Amino acid sequence: MPLLLEAIYKRFHYDFRSYSMASLKRRVSAALVAMRCETVTALQEKLLHDPGAFDTLLQYLTVQVSDMFRDPAFFRAFREKVVPVLKTYPSLKLWIAGCSTGEEVLSFAVILHEEGLLERSLLYATDINPAALSKAQAGIYALDRMATFSEQHRATGAKQPLSTYFTAAYGGALFHRFLRANVVFSDHSLATDSAFAEVHVVSCRNVLIYFDRALQDRAVGLFRDALCRRGFLGLGARETLQFSPHAGLFTEFAKEERWYQKKQ
């Protein structure tokens, strides 16, 4: 496995070497079956000689499990506790790191719109998977997911039904363009790239759990560098700063919902 990861890094410049090995082994095993390779060595050979093989493998190496308003309590805390502070700023920048196929980006956009902040907000949505970013930019999701999305939206303290934000089109639910008008979608790796802007909010949820400790610390360091003083960091339900060397730089703003605030 280390040889495969090293080969990917040197040839394709994607760095998975500090990802959780247990998680990577599961994903590579699934890729071996799907790509009809009996061994990791055979997979390496395929990557060298098949131009499209890495794009296929990348879909297995990156996690693309996301919902709109996933863990509604997180978004309710954002609406009720974080937004009142954000309203004191004349303009806002948010970074949704590891945005996958865009459901979380739209979740923030909807709440910012309902709270009167979207027009003065800029959202950076980043991921390492180009195919996921393309889907995020399109803003089209399966219609059969809308019932769950709508229920979770209501649980955040919604101001209007989620159905007001999308129309049925292209065989799915197409979310209105104004929700994505202030979103910049971009390739960015938490393993190799630097912080690129000063922001008021960073949301990186259910990403750190796939990193080893060193890469987790690197990522949180990037968030620390990007956040303005008293800026907010949101993590996933199974993630914490408790054991991070950066923990002393943050306060637990909404502990149960995993919202942290950078100290002044």
Side-chain angles (χ1 to χ4, degrees):
M1 182 73 73
L3 289 176
L4 172 65
L5 302 181
E6 193 68 33
I8 289 171
Y9 177 64
K10 288 182 176 179
R11 185 174 180 85
F12 301 102
H13 310 295
Y14 281 78
D15 194 353
F16 293 98
R17 296 173 299 175
S18 294
Y19 279 52
S20 165
M21 194 56 62
S23 175
L24 278 177
K25 285 180 178 178
R26 290 193 298 271
R27 296 188 229 168
V28 170
S29 294
L32 289 175
V33 174
M35 299 175 71
R36 299 181 180 179
C37 296
E38 292 189 3
T39 65
V40 173
T41 301
L43 178 58
Q44 285 181 240
E45 286 295 313
K46 193 177 186 72
L47 292 176
L48 288 173
H49 299 106
D50 182 347
F54 180 69
D55 289 341
T56 301
L57 178 61
L58 188 60
Q59 308 314 309
Y60 289 91
L61 295 182
T62 56
V63 177
Q64 298 171 48
V65 178
S66 186
D67 279 332
M68 287 190 72
F69 309 102
R70 184 179 180 183
D71 302 319
F74 172 87
F75 287 99
R76 187 164 195 124
F78 175 72
R79 185 193 295 273
E80 296 179 349
K81 299 178 181 180
V82 178
V83 162
V85 180
L86 299 182
K87 286 183 176 180
T88 66
Y89 293 99
S91 62
L92 297 169
K93 291 182 179 179
L94 296 84
W95 177 14
I96 294 84
C99 72
S100 186
T101 47
E103 290 90 337
E104 186 167 322
V105 180
L106 283 175
S107 301
F108 278 106
V110 166
I111 292 178
L112 290 169
H113 169 70
E114 292 180 342
E115 299 299 328
L117 291 175
L118 184 57
E119 288 189 356
R120 53 184 163 118
S121 298
L122 178 64
L123 290 78
Y124 298 105
T126 64
D127 202 273
I128 64 170
N129 187 326
L133 285 171
S134 293
K135 186 167 184 179
Q137 286 179 286
I140 303 171
Y141 303 96
L143 280 170
D144 60 9
R145 302 178 72 191
M146 293 306 108
T148 298
F149 290 179
S150 296
E151 180 180 346
Q152 293 179 168
H153 176 227
R154 284 193 296 272
T156 71
K159 301 292 178 68
Q160 52 189 327
L162 188 65
S163 58
T164 61
Y165 298 109
F166 66 84
T167 56
Y170 306 105
L174 171 63
F175 279 81
H176 297 326
R177 188 176 297 275
F178 80 86
L179 292 171
R180 304 187 304 282
N182 293 355
V183 180
V184 176
F185 294 94
S186 180
D187 179 276
H188 183 276
S189 170
L190 296 173
T192 57
D193 294 330
S194 303
F196 52 85
E198 185 177 64
V199 299
H200 302 86
V201 176
V202 173
S203 178
C204 183
R205 305 179 64 225
N206 308 303
V207 175
L208 299 183
I209 54 175
Y210 298 107
F211 295 170
D212 67 13
R213 178 53 56 83
L215 185 51
Q216 289 176 1
D217 293 343
R218 184 189 196 278
V220 175
L222 291 182
F223 304 151
R224 174 206 64 204
D225 293 343
L227 282 168
C228 64
R229 286 186 298 173
R230 302 187 66 78
F232 296 94
L233 171 62
L235 299 179
R238 293 159 53 199
E239 297 165 334
T240 178
L241 294 185
Q242 185 174 355
F243 304 107
S244 169
H246 305 290
L249 301 174
F250 292 86
T251 59
E252 293 177 323
F253 185 78
K255 182 178 180 179
E256 294 301 318
E257 295 83 11
R258 296 297 195 271
W259 277 108
Y260 299 85
Q261 186 174 31
K262 186 177 177 180
K263 289 183 179 178
Q264 190 164 345

